[in-house]
Amino acid sequence: MVFVGVHGEWGRIDATQADLGCRQDRESIYKTKPPAPLTCYECDWRLHLVHKTHGAYELWFLRHAANAPHCEARLAGEGMAHHLLKLDLAHHARAAGWSAEYEVASPDGSWRADVMATSPDGTRRIALEAQMAAISLTDIKARTDRYAAAGVEVCWFTDRKTVPWLDTVPSVQIARPEGGGPVQITAGAARFEPEWCHDRADCSWSSWGVEGALPCGGHGKWSAVEPFPLDRFVAAICANTTRPHRLRVPSWEKGDTWRWTTRRYFELEEEQVRASAWREQVSERLAAVQRRQQEAREAAEREHMAAIEALLQRQKALVKPVVEFVFHEAGAYPAVGRDGIPEFAMGVPVYVRGKPYAVICPVASRVPALRDALAPLILFAATERERSRIAAQASPGQRVEVLAVELSPTSPVPAQREQGGLTIKQAVNRMFGLDRM
């Protein structure tokens, strides 16, 4: 069965319209003798007008006469479900104030629309395609692209249960209720459900690798709408209040997805897209700041560790000359502490007859807190610069001696001191009193 044919005198006719689309009467070609001069636009074979009742439908269509050759128009029109859906699509487009024609082909034959709906002012054309048979993803994308190249909008309609291309082109799934009633749109249309943190300036969702508050980028998602009548959908796309839209906020399960939606939901999604982009910018800036801060901390730690290593080297290098110095001055062989300790400003204590006598290389910044306790002692330094720093913090007139020694350049921080001494980490812990916690 087909809807469109060619009359020998009137030209193109549409059997679904009471005036055949050319202001003529169906009765003038229905069961007439001799038969009306009707032929197929595709194969030129003779056609005749058929009238049948199918449920609530009064069907008028054209059928090829016996022994008709292979014909693309006849094959495309096969199937009652396909036939009825095309009738519905054309009817609903006309009810919306548009014109609707069946089997409209492009001048070059690159496409043929099941139903071509045209706006009253002729500025918009929408191909309403009843795709009831299986079709490959490649083919349906190619056909959609050909419509787009011709400036024709398109919507694909199918009643198939499994539709692998439903998300890839502007399309919807339809169903006829078993108990009767209008055809329903069951898939392909969506609404955006926005969701925001209570405080948009402080998102409750964490961001990997970034510390601190980030603005909310939105947590909304697209969801399918409840089934609704086909006539409402066709009227909406004709009115341009519902448009095909490639979702920019993807679902967790799918990537690029086409859905029919309204401007309101598009704008809600757009708000979240902008917020997400802003959150990303803030996150990148904050991450950059935190990376710089971390690099600065690491550099300061390396510098601090190097300073500790240099201090340990000076203390170690001064042990022998200090022992000789104290022995000649005090007349007794001194005892030297193993490591620097907080009570002596992280310097190494030197004892004579069991009492503190001197300190090797105390840390200048720690001297003021221990000034009174250190005042009676001799403070030793390895360089004139170190002596000046210590003297500036010590008690006025306190004795600070410089014993020049040859120091090797500071090397990478060793993991362990020689002869079982403190590691650098242990020295740091002791310097800050962490070994006593």
Side-chain angles (χ1 to χ4, degrees), residues 50-310:
V50 178
H51 178 226
K52 284 187 176 182
T53 301
H54 183 84
Y57 290 87
E58 287 287 331
L59 304 180
W60 290 91
F61 57 90
L62 298 168
R63 176 176 289 164
H64 285 69
N67 301 317
H70 175 85
C71 176
E72 293 295 332
R74 183 159 59 95
L75 292 175
E78 287 182 343
M80 184 57 71
H82 189 212
H83 183 71
L84 296 180
L85 180 54
K86 289 166 68 174
L87 283 174
D88 284 331
L89 294 173
H91 172 74
H92 296 327
R94 291 165 185 160
W98 286 36
S99 63
E101 296 181 89
Y102 296 93
E103 305 302 329
V104 176
S106 66
D108 62 0
S110 61
W111 50 262
R112 183 185 299 277
D114 283 338
V115 176
M116 180 64 76
T118 306
S119 64
D121 61 4
T123 58
R124 291 180 63 206
R125 291 188 299 166
I126 306 176
L128 305 176
E129 289 284 1
Q131 188 60 45
M132 318 303 272
I135 184 173
S136 72
L137 181 60
T138 300
D139 286 346
I140 201 166
K141 281 187 172 182
R143 290 173 64 182
T144 301
D145 291 343
R146 287 197 290 270
Y147 278 124
V152 177
E153 301 170 44
V154 63
C155 182
W156 299 88
F157 297 81
T158 184
D159 65 351
R160 296 178 69 84
K161 301 299 182 183
T162 302
V163 191
W165 43 263
L166 189 66
D167 298 328
T168 63
V169 293
S171 54
V172 292
Q173 191 177 52
I174 60 104
R176 295 183 180 276
E178 294 183 0
V183 177
Q184 301 287 301
I185 300 293
T186 56
R191 65 164 57 92
F192 189 76
E193 298 178 347
E195 182 181 346
W196 300 92
C197 292
H198 178 69
D199 182 1
R200 288 202 185 186
D202 187 0
C203 184
S204 60
W205 287 24
S206 62
S207 180
W208 292 105
V210 179
E211 298 179 357
L214 291 175
C216 181
H219 313 300
K221 62 182 182 299
W222 287 95
S223 63
V225 301
E226 295 296 320
F228 62 100
L230 174 65
D231 61 343
R232 201 174 91 197
F233 176 72
V234 174
I237 62 176
C238 289
N240 211 24
T241 56
T242 294
R243 298 283 295 166
H245 172 59
R246 189 183 295 276
L247 307 187
R248 300 178 66 190
V249 175
S251 66
W252 289 108
E253 297 83 9
K254 300 174 182 178
D256 289 343
T257 302
W258 280 99
R259 286 290 183 266
W260 290 86
T261 192
T262 65
R263 176 174 292 276
R264 173 171 174 261
Y265 296 123
F266 167 82
E267 290 174 346
L268 288 172
E269 181 199 46
E270 181 65 21
E271 181 183 8
Q272 177 162 318
V273 169
R274 290 195 300 268
S276 296
W278 173 242
R279 172 188 168 88
E280 187 65 22
Q281 291 179 25
V282 173
S283 177
E284 289 176 357
R285 293 172 185 172
L286 187 57
V289 170
Q290 291 175 359
R291 282 196 301 271
R292 290 194 294 270
Q293 291 174 339
Q294 179 63 24
E295 290 168 359
R297 286 193 295 269
E298 292 174 354
E301 183 177 355
R302 288 193 297 271
E303 183 178 348
H304 183 60
M305 298 296 282
I308 292 175
E309 182 196 12

